[in-house]
Amino acid sequence: MDRDLSCTCGRLRGKLSNTEQCTRIKCYCDDCQAFAVFLGKPEQVLDAEGGSDIVLAHPRQLSVTEGAGALACMSLSDKGMLRWYAACCNCPIGNTTRNRKLAFVGLSSAFVAATPQAMDAGFGPVRMLGYTEHAWRPVPARRWRDLLPTLQFGVKLLKARLSGSYRNTPFFDAAAAPVVAPVVLSPAERAALARPRP
């Protein structure tokens, strides 16, 4: 099944194909929390426990259909993940590694569905929890339940590497460089994004 995507203001639009191949996760890492603060949208992006609702997909499943000029990129450090967003309205798009051979994108719920109800309807339940030690409130441990989805995700990465399908991505050019040069924060700028737990 295909799904139409849109930033908050509607300028940047895309399409996600084969949504049944995606995996929904919840990430509580302090970097995802800092990214939400950077965008000025912690209340819209993070849940009550400080988690980000994310859809894991292969980059080839994603296409930008309108407003590619609004695509922006930042990183919380010089070796950190690339965090993509719409510069027009600061809507988070998704996260990738700096190495395009690790073929995944963690798409933000703000870009793919907007509401928890729409996420449930479009992608089913959360199948993995990440970095629960950074959650603002206790989150039940579920290590064994996360094991199978984690292994399946690893197999998908390996297949993309062996097949060469990692080259099909809207985030990197033919020379493996990001299509938008990332703005890299200084340690002081990164530290300023930390916020006390509620």
Side-chain angles (χ1 to χ4, degrees):
M1 184 179 296
D2 293 350
R3 187 179 191 90
D4 292 327
L5 314 175
S6 175
C7 68
T8 306
C9 73
R11 178 180 172 189
L12 195 157
R13 296 181 180 273
K15 187 174 290 292
L16 181 64
S17 63
N18 301 315
T19 56
E20 66 279 0
Q21 298 176 10
C22 297
T23 302
R24 185 181 173 193
I25 71 169
K26 189 75 71 77
C27 183
Y28 298 90
C29 79
D30 50 5
D31 281 353
C32 281
Q33 294 167 5
F35 182 45
V37 175
F38 171 83
L39 296 174
K41 296 180 177 287
E43 289 77 16
Q44 295 95 324
V45 175
L46 305 175
D47 65 16
E49 289 78 35
S52 297
D53 207 344
I54 292 171
V55 173
L56 285 180
H58 190 302
R60 70 181 174 189
Q61 294 174 246
L62 177 68
S63 59
V64 177
T65 56
E66 294 180 39
L71 188 64
C73 183
M74 64 86 68
S75 185
L76 294 165
S77 69
D78 58 0
K79 295 182 179 179
M81 294 186 75
L82 299 180
R83 297 178 179 272
W84 303 85
Y85 64 100
C88 45
C89 56
N90 276 9
C91 176
I93 303 302
N95 305 324
T96 66
T97 68
R98 291 172 174 265
N99 182 357
R100 69 170 180 167
K101 291 182 179 180
L102 291 175
F104 77 90
V105 54
L107 294 169
S108 170
S109 60
F111 186 52
V112 301
T115 68
Q117 294 77 16
M119 289 290 282
D120 289 338
F123 302 98
V126 172
R127 299 193 64 205
M128 288 191 290
L129 302 181
Y131 300 95
T132 54
E133 66 273 18
H134 295 291
W136 294 340
R137 301 186 180 112
V139 175
R142 42 182 278 172
R143 292 184 180 88
W144 292 111
R145 289 176 59 192
D146 289 352
L147 182 58
L148 179 58
T150 301
L151 292 174
Q152 291 172 332
F153 176 62
V155 169
K156 288 180 180 180
L157 291 180
L158 180 60
K159 285 182 177 179
R161 180 71 175 267
L162 295 176
S163 69
S165 64
Y166 65 83
R167 297 185 181 90
N168 189 353
T169 169
F171 300 107
F172 295 90
D173 61 22
V179 294
V180 178
V183 173
V184 179
L185 301 191
S186 69
E189 290 171 324
R190 167 64 181 87
L193 297 177
R195 58 180 292 180
R197 298 187 181 192

